[in-house]
Amino acid sequence: MESLSDRKALLLSGIQEVGPNDDAPRPAVVLFHGCGGIRSHLPRYAEAAKAAGWRAFIVDSYGPRGWSRLKTLMTVCTNLAFRGKNRASDILAAWDEIASRPNVRSDQIVLAGWSHGGWSIMELMTTELVDGALGLADAGQVRLPAPLGVFLAYAYVGALAPARLKAWTCQTRVYAVTCSRDHLTTVRNAEKVNDAIRANGCTVESWIAQGTHAFDEPTSNGPMRHDETTTLEALDRFGRFLTSLV
């Protein structure tokens, strides 16, 4: 079974930092891409965090594994492999790695996920960290405070995400973005998930964005369409959410 240090070593080459050019400990947001991998919209969110005085860390789950975009579109995006529960260990490892950096406030970290990334964060938030959890031999040895906040951008909350209604293991502030024309969920289902998170004591602010799934990506794939106006609003809301936390 893999150790946490093994996973951190794997992901290290796939972590990109964006932020103020200094060494001061600052709050940080960790960004996790959707099933299609890193696209050009995530650096825009990272820049929004930088403008708010935060450090942003974009985590690539695919590059360090040598996975191409075509491979992940055919396997991860079709739910044949690497589902949210599998990737949740990446979330934990990256979070633990970034929290240890001297230029980061370990008690002021936000986890942010888009689609598959949001699903993976939710899987972690509903998992009790004991040794062996998430396929990590020493997961129970992790000592992290609850995240300062969680940003979920059209997280996958369909039938293949059985943990979507489970209680979270910690309480935090959540900002949940739901797309009005999401082909992977209804607004009603997404709000049901938000209510389940609230029931565990978390504060959840939800926004129904007028667009399709992945409206902020540079995409015109199938039912998904880029909407620049809604994207600009999402970037503004993301920055304001971070600012509200500190």
Side-chain angles (χ1 to χ4, degrees), residues 76-88:
V76 184
C77 291
T78 56
N79 282 312
L80 293 177
F82 204 53
R83 294 182 178 180
K85 190 71 171 180
N86 306 119
R87 192 179 172 201

Side-chain angles (χ1 to χ4, degrees), residues 23-213:
D23 296 323
R26 291 179 178 268
V29 56
V30 193
L31 287 69
F32 298 93
H33 59 75
C35 71
I38 293 177
R39 310 293 309 281
S40 61
H41 65 308
L42 285 192
R44 297 180 72 181
Y45 284 94
E47 288 296 332
K50 178 181 177 180
W54 286 56
R55 301 196 188 283
F57 296 86
I58 302 174
V59 180
D60 183 359
S61 284
Y62 298 162
R65 291 180 166 90
W67 294 353
S68 68
R69 176 167 164 77
L70 178 60
K71 172 185 174 69
T72 57
L73 288 175
M74 296 179 64
T75 58
V76 184
C77 291
T78 56
N79 282 312
L80 293 177
F82 204 53
R83 294 182 178 180
K85 190 71 171 180
N86 306 119
R87 192 179 172 201
S89 51
D90 278 15
I91 312 296
L92 180 63
W95 179 12
D96 193 59
E97 158 62 27
I98 289 162
S100 70
R101 300 189 177 190
N103 66 348
V104 168
R105 289 284 306 270
S106 61
D107 60 339
Q108 293 185 347
I109 293 180
V110 168
L111 304 178
W114 282 255
S115 193
H116 191 282
W119 174 17
S120 303
I121 290 172
M122 294 179 69
E123 291 286 349
L124 174 59
M125 293 295 100
T126 59
T127 299
E128 182 182 358
L129 292 181
V130 297
D131 288 349
L134 305 175
L136 296 174
D138 52 352
Q141 309 310 306
V142 175
R143 296 292 182 267
L144 288 167
L148 185 64
V150 171
F151 184 86
L152 300 173
Y154 44 85
Y156 174 72
V157 290
L160 295 177
R164 65 191 185 280
L165 299 177
K166 289 184 179 179
W168 285 25
T169 60
C170 64
Q171 296 178 353
T172 186
R173 286 180 59 185
V174 179
Y175 197 100
V177 179
T178 300
C179 305
S180 62
R181 302 191 305 278
D182 197 324
H183 66 290
L184 295 176
T185 184
T186 62
V187 171
R188 181 179 180 181
N189 176 59
E191 288 296 341
K192 182 178 180 181
V193 172
N194 292 340
D195 285 342
I197 299 172
R198 289 187 185 98
N200 189 49
C202 292
T203 300
V204 182
E205 181 179 355
S206 63
W207 172 49
I208 300 175
Q210 297 305 305
T212 70
H213 190 86

